[in-house]
Amino acid sequence: GAADVDFAFYFILAICMFFFFLLVGLGVLFLVRYRRRPGYTPLPSPHHSMKLEVIWTTIPIVITAFMFWFGFSSYVHSRTMPQDADQVGVVARKWSWSFQYEEFEHPELHVAVGEPTVLTMRSEDVVHSFFVPAFRTKLDVVPGKYSKVWFTPTKTGQYTLFCAEYCGTNHSSMLAKVFVHTAEDLAAWLQENGAKLGDGLPADDGREFIYKRKGCGACHSDDGTAKIGPSFKGLFGATRALVGGSTRVADENYIRDSILTPKLDVPIGYPIPSTMPPQQLTDQELDVFIAYLKTLAN
């Protein structure tokens, strides 16, 4: 979180400042005290001191080992998505942000204070970068795949979202507002805007327009029944054993790859090569279809 980022920054800054002033101070002291002066004969100095060697080797090792441990553990924590977090979809495009809630889409990001929020992000054109300085949160949004980031806001208020990757002429104006509410205020905002902007649940659109109208049900059931292809029941989030001995978690990127390039990762127990032809789905169609698969996860 932001606290870990701040601690790492100030810890490294303090270490650098300490050794900077120590070394510069000693350098100035030795320059003045041990300068060449008339009437003084230089004294012989020891060629080697094992004690000093051990001290100035051990101290940096301990400091850098701590820095590595803290940085690595903080990174692992930042990349481990909470299971009970609020979910928001993010679409980046030149030059705006769009946020997909359960029942509608909106140009502002609204989240609850003290509650973890997972953002599943994609780009419609070029590489963008999601950056909220107040949250110490930044992650690139790459076309052709989903990126995930999460955070837990600790203070209510209004913040600014920037694009931190140059994306064209109006890159500097690619901003969005981020509002952190209490849980009660967020629920009221979602209800108000859902009633005003909602055109149906994305999961319902995924079932009606993708699963039914594109004929997915011919090979894939949504109730666990065995067919030519894997059932969608309980698929999302499950670990899939693949031909060749590898495994993949059936997350957004796995679903996307399985639809657009089905011959790459074939689950064990199904025809090799895959008999499923590549499907031509738009990013919007993939979003609603994945939303539908998430409802079948349990």
Side-chain angles (χ1 to χ4, degrees):
D4 291 342
V5 174
D6 286 353
F7 175 82
F9 175 81
Y10 288 116
F11 177 78
I12 294 174
L13 178 63
I15 293 297
C16 292
M17 292 180 63
F18 172 79
F19 281 104
F20 172 80
F21 288 111
L22 175 65
L23 296 177
V24 172
L26 289 176
V28 172
L29 174 65
F30 293 162
L31 182 66
V32 173
R33 184 170 182 179
Y34 298 109
R35 70 187 187 278
R36 183 187 295 272
R37 287 173 290 175
Y40 286 85
T41 302
L43 298 176
S45 61
H47 177 70
H48 179 76
S49 172
M50 179 61 70
K51 182 178 180 180
L52 284 177
E53 294 283 354
V54 171
I55 291 174
W56 66 44
T57 300
T58 302
I59 291 177
I61 289 176
V62 172
I63 293 174
T64 53
F66 171 77
M67 290 165 57
F68 172 81
W69 168 82
F70 184 83
F72 182 75
S73 60
S74 298
Y75 174 78
V76 171
H77 174 70
S78 70
R79 300 307 304 157
T80 304
M81 307 296 160
Q83 296 299 315
D84 58 346
D86 296 333
Q87 302 286 331
V88 179
V90 181
V91 178
R93 60 178 69 91
K94 296 190 293 187
W95 288 275
S96 65
W97 299 92
S98 181
F99 303 94
Q100 300 170 335
Y101 301 90
E102 185 177 355
E103 298 183 4
F104 61 93
E105 193 166 332
H106 199 274
E108 298 171 349
L109 177 58
H110 291 252
V111 296
V113 66
E115 296 290 337
T117 299
V118 173
L119 305 180
T120 302
M121 308 184 292
R122 66 173 176 84
S123 169
E124 290 189 346
D125 36 51
V126 298
V127 178
H128 299 281
S129 188
F130 179 94
F131 179 40
V132 182
F135 297 171
R136 312 296 192 267
T137 299
K138 178 186 178 296
L139 189 69
D140 285 354
V141 187
V142 182
K145 66 176 293 184
Y146 289 93
S147 303
K148 281 192 170 186
V149 69
W150 76 278
F151 50 81
T152 302
T154 58
K155 184 179 179 181
T156 58
Q158 177 181 329
Y159 306 93
T160 303
L161 161 64
F162 299 86
C163 176
E165 186 72 30
Y166 182 71
C167 56
T169 307
N170 295 326
H171 162 71
S172 61
S173 64
M174 189 172 171
L175 309 173
K177 295 179 180 179
V178 181
F179 293 90
V180 180
H181 304 270
T182 63
E184 295 77 13
D185 289 344
L186 178 61
W189 182 86
L190 290 172
Q191 182 177 7
E192 176 187 352
N193 285 271
K196 182 173 58 177
L197 301 175
D199 292 322
L201 297 176
D204 292 342
D205 291 342
R207 186 173 194 276
E208 179 64 30
F209 295 103
I210 309 300
Y211 181 73
K212 287 186 175 181
R213 297 193 184 185
K214 290 188 179 291
C216 301
C219 299
H220 306 273
S221 73
D222 61 357
D223 59 4
T225 303
K227 289 190 175 183
I228 299 174
S231 174
F232 293 150
K233 180 67 175 178
L235 172 64
F236 190 87
T239 300
R240 307 291 289 168
L242 307 175
V243 172
S246 62
T247 60
R248 280 189 70 179
V249 175
D251 57 8
E252 289 87 354
N253 285 310
Y254 173 85
I255 301 300
R256 180 189 180 92
D257 293 343
S258 298
I259 292 172
L260 302 182
T261 54
K263 298 184 185 300
L264 290 182
D265 293 319
V266 180
I268 291 177
Y270 296 94
I272 305 171
S274 174
T275 57
M276 175 177 167
Q279 304 298 304
Q280 302 300 317
L281 268 63
T282 66
D283 286 340
Q284 291 83 357
E285 290 173 329
L286 285 168
D287 284 347
V288 297
F289 184 60
I290 289 172
Y292 172 55
L293 293 186
K294 288 180 178 180
T295 67
L296 304 176
N298 298 321

